[in-house]
Amino acid sequence: MTEKQKIRLRMLTVGSVETGLSPKEKAELESMLESSEDARSFYLDLITINTALGKVGGEAVSFQGEDFDKICRQIEQMELTAPCACTPKQQEGNVQPLDSSQKRSGKVRFTAVRWIERSALAAAVLCVLFLLYQLYYVNVYVPSRPHQVAQVADSSDVLWQGSRPVENENGIYLRTSKQYQLEEGFAKILLSNGVEFLLEDEAKFEIENAERVNVLEGSAYFKVPSTCIGFIADTPTSRIIDLGTEFGVSVFSGGSSELHMFRGKCSMAPRIENRTKGARLFEEGEAVKISEKGETSDIVQSSSGFLRIMDSSKNFYWHGENISLADILGSGSGTGNGVIGRAINLSSGEYIRKTTKLQSSKSGYRLVPSNEIVDGVFIPDGEDASQVTSKNHIYDGFENTSGTCWTPISNGPNFNMGSNYYNKRCIINGQLYGTKENPALYMHSNSAVTFDLRALRTMLPGQRIAEFRTIYGVPDYEQEPSDAHRITNADFTVLLDGAEILKKEQVKYGQTFDFRKDIPEDAEFLTLACTDADGSPHQDWGVFARPELVIEQN
C-alpha cells in the first residue's frame, strides 16, 4: 500500500467507527479490503487499536469536540512557527570564552537554544493538556453513559452458570468484562449499538464492550447492522472483523473454531497467543475451520447449525431449516417442537383430544385463534362453493362429497382415537412418517386446513418462502390393512389464495405422489384438503407427509 492509500484507509476506518459512512464511502472501503491483503492487515490493526482504547472506558473513544480541535490547531501552529533546531557544528578545541559583556547580556550564543527550550516546553505542556483531556473523556465523560451495554432481549428456559445477568426495572442486563455461561435454553442478546447475537445450550462468552464480544465455547449467531462496521468477534483461535453481516461462530472444547458466513462480508484472521496473522475476506455462503494451531481449511456452510431467529412469546426458534406445516399444526414452530397427535376439531377450530361424533360441513369455515399460523379449518363439500380463508377466498372446485367427517386433523397419529389406522404411523417407500423426524398431517375425508403465510413471514424477517413440497396420498400403515382400508378412494387438493395448484382424484390405497410448487412472494394462504371420491368418507384415510415450506434468504 502507498502512504496515500494508508491515509485514505485510515480516514474511512475512523469514519466507519465514529460517524458512519455514506454508501459510496462504504463501497470504497469494501473494495480496498477485498483487493489487498495489506489493506486488510492495516485495517485489522486500526480496529484493534480503536477497540483497545475503547476498552479503557467501556466504549470506543471518539476524537471529536471543540477542545480537541483547538489542541490540534495549537500543535499545528507551533510546528509551523517554531525556529529550526539546527546549530552550527563547532570544531573541537576552537571554543572561545565569553567576555564580560556577553556574560552579562546572555544573548549572543544561547538565543536559539532558549527558543528551542521554550518550544519544547510548550509542546510538553500541550501534550499534558491533551493527555488530561483524554483522561477526562475516558474516565469522566464515558462512564456517565449507561454502563450496561448488553441487554437480554429474549430468552427461554435459560439456566446460567457462574456470573448471572442483572435485572432491574428496565430489563435484564449483562455487564462488560464478565464471563457468562448459558448452560441451557435460548437467549438473544442486544448490544447498545444495535448488534444482536443469539445463543443456545452450553455457550460461554464475554462482552468487552459494545464493539467486541469474545466467544469462548459453544455457538453464537451475530447480526451486525451496516452502521456497526468494525465490530469484532474473538474466539481463542480467530479474530473476526465485521463489515455489516450475519455470521455464525462455533468454538469447540479442543480450542478449534468455525466461521460460517450467511450474509455480507467479514475479515477473519487466525489468532494464536493473542497474535493475529494473514487476514482473509469471507463472503456469503463461505465457511472455514480454524485449528488449535491457527491452520485454516474451507468447509461446507452449515445452513441449520445456528439459532438464527427466536421469539419465545410465539414458541418460535429457527435454525435455518424448512418449516413443517404438520409441526405447526401440532403447536410447534415448524422446527420439530410440536406435539405428535395434537389435533384440531373441524367443527369448532379448537384443539381437542378426540372427536366422538360426526361433524358436518354446515359449521362452515372455522378460525383457529390459538395458532397464529393455522388460519382455519373446514369440511369441504362440492354442493356449494366453499370459503377457504379468513379473507373470504372462495373455491368451487370440490366434487360433491358427503359433507361430513368423523376425525380431526392432527400432527401425526392421534393415540386417543382408539384402535384404528388413525393412531398408527404410516409407511411410504419403507420410511416411517408421523414422527418428529418425518412429520405428517393425518387427514380423513372430508377435511381441509389453511395456513397463513403472512403470519409466517413476519416471524422470518430477511427470509422468503420459496417453495411448498410434500408427499401426499393413501399410505400403508404399521398394521396389516383391513379389506375396508384397501378400498380407500380419496381426492387431494392444494390451493393458493383459493386458486387451485393441485388436484388429484381417485387416489387408491398404496398410492403416494411427490408434489412441489414455487410460492409467489405475494401469496397469502395455503390450503390442503382431503375429500372422498365416491360420496362416502368411510375409511378414506389420507396424509400429507413432510408438508414443508422451503425457506431461503432474501
Side-chain angles (χ1 to χ4, degrees), residues 47-61 138-139 142 147 176-178 206-212 214 234 239 271 274:
I47 292 298
T48 301
I49 292 170
N50 182 79
T51 304
L53 288 173
K55 186 177 179 180
V56 176
E59 293 190 17
V61 177
V138 170
N139 294 298
V142 172
H147 176 64
T176 56
S177 301
K178 283 184 175 291
E206 177 185 4
I207 300 169
E208 293 206 12
N209 50 50
E211 285 79 29
R212 183 171 175 177
N214 297 328
D234 273 343
R239 168 159 292 173
R271 184 166 171 257
N274 291 325

Side-chain angles (χ1 to χ4, degrees), residues 18-127:
E18 295 294 337
T19 60
L21 299 177
S22 67
K24 183 178 179 180
E25 290 172 329
K26 182 181 176 184
E28 182 183 357
L29 175 59
E30 291 182 357
S31 176
M32 293 179 73
L33 296 178
E34 285 180 22
S35 59
S36 170
E37 182 175 344
D38 289 342
R40 291 192 291 272
S41 297
F42 188 62
Y43 177 80
L44 179 65
D45 291 340
L46 291 173
I47 292 298
T48 301
I49 292 170
N50 182 79
T51 304
L53 288 173
K55 186 177 179 180
V56 176
E59 293 190 17
V61 177
S62 178
F63 297 105
Q64 297 176 2
E66 294 181 1
D67 292 339
F68 181 68
D69 290 340
K70 183 178 179 180
I71 291 172
C72 288
R73 288 195 297 269
Q74 290 173 345
I75 292 175
E76 180 182 13
Q77 185 63 28
M78 181 199 72
E79 291 177 345
L80 292 174
T81 60
C84 179
C86 298
T87 58
K89 185 176 180 180
Q90 295 179 336
Q91 294 183 359
E92 189 175 350
N94 194 33
V95 179
Q96 300 293 328
L98 297 178
D99 58 30
S100 58
S101 62
Q102 290 174 328
K103 289 181 181 180
R104 287 193 300 271
S105 66
K107 295 181 180 179
V108 177
R109 188 174 297 276
F110 297 103
T111 302
V113 175
R114 289 185 176 178
W115 272 111
I116 295 171
E117 290 174 348
R118 292 171 184 172
S119 299
L121 178 62
V125 170
L126 288 174
C127 287

Side-chain angles (χ1 to χ4, degrees), residues 265-469:
K265 304 172 185 177
C266 79
S267 176
M268 189 284 295
R271 184 166 171 257
I272 302 298
E273 297 180 352
N274 291 325
R275 293 184 178 182
T276 58
K277 62 175 185 178
R280 173 183 162 191
L281 199 68
F282 286 85
E283 299 186 359
E284 180 179 314
E286 295 183 321
V288 64
K289 183 171 184 176
I290 306 98
S291 72
E292 299 89 334
K293 297 180 180 180
E295 299 167 343
T296 62
S297 56
D298 292 342
I299 58 176
V300 177
Q301 185 196 68
S302 175
S303 60
S304 57
F306 300 90
L307 176 64
R308 295 164 61 181
I309 296 175
M310 70 170 289
D311 186 342
S312 60
S313 66
K314 299 177 181 178
N315 194 33
F316 189 76
Y317 308 93
W318 187 66
H319 292 73
E321 61 268 73
N322 295 333
I323 298 296
S324 167
L325 297 179
D327 187 75
I328 284 177
L329 188 132
S331 298
S333 60
T335 61
N337 57 344
V339 180
I340 297 294
R342 193 106 161 97
I344 298 178
N345 189 340
L346 294 163
S347 296
S348 65
E350 298 175 348
Y351 280 94
I352 58 170
R353 290 178 59 83
K354 66 177 183 179
T355 300
T356 57
K357 64 180 181 179
L358 189 68
Q359 301 169 84
S360 169
S361 61
K362 293 180 181 179
S363 58
Y365 189 81
R366 309 300 295 184
L367 300 178
V368 182
S370 59
N371 192 312
E372 186 174 355
I373 299 176
V374 179
D375 183 63
V377 294
F378 61 100
I379 297 175
D381 184 11
E383 184 176 342
D384 297 306
S386 300
Q387 178 185 345
V388 297
T389 74
S390 59
K391 287 187 69 174
N392 205 34
H393 290 97
I394 303 298
Y395 176 68
D396 60 1
F398 292 120
E399 300 296 325
N400 287 338
T401 70
S402 64
T404 58
C405 185
W406 279 99
T407 61
I409 301 175
S410 74
N411 172 33
N414 187 324
F415 299 105
N416 298 307
M417 290 300 296
S419 180
N420 55 35
Y421 301 106
Y422 208 68
N423 65 4
K424 307 296 180 184
R425 292 174 296 182
C426 63
I427 302 173
I428 300 175
N429 298 327
Q431 177 68 57
L432 279 174
Y433 287 85
T435 65
K436 282 190 176 293
E437 296 76 20
N438 293 293
L441 280 173
Y442 276 41
M443 302 174 69
H444 189 287
S445 64
N446 297 282
S447 61
V449 57
T450 296
F451 296 91
D452 190 340
L453 303 181
R454 302 168 304 171
L456 184 58
R457 288 190 185 100
T458 63
M459 299 166 71
L460 290 165
Q463 315 298 320
R464 71 183 186 92
I465 302 172
E467 182 185 70
F468 170 67
R469 64 188 184 194

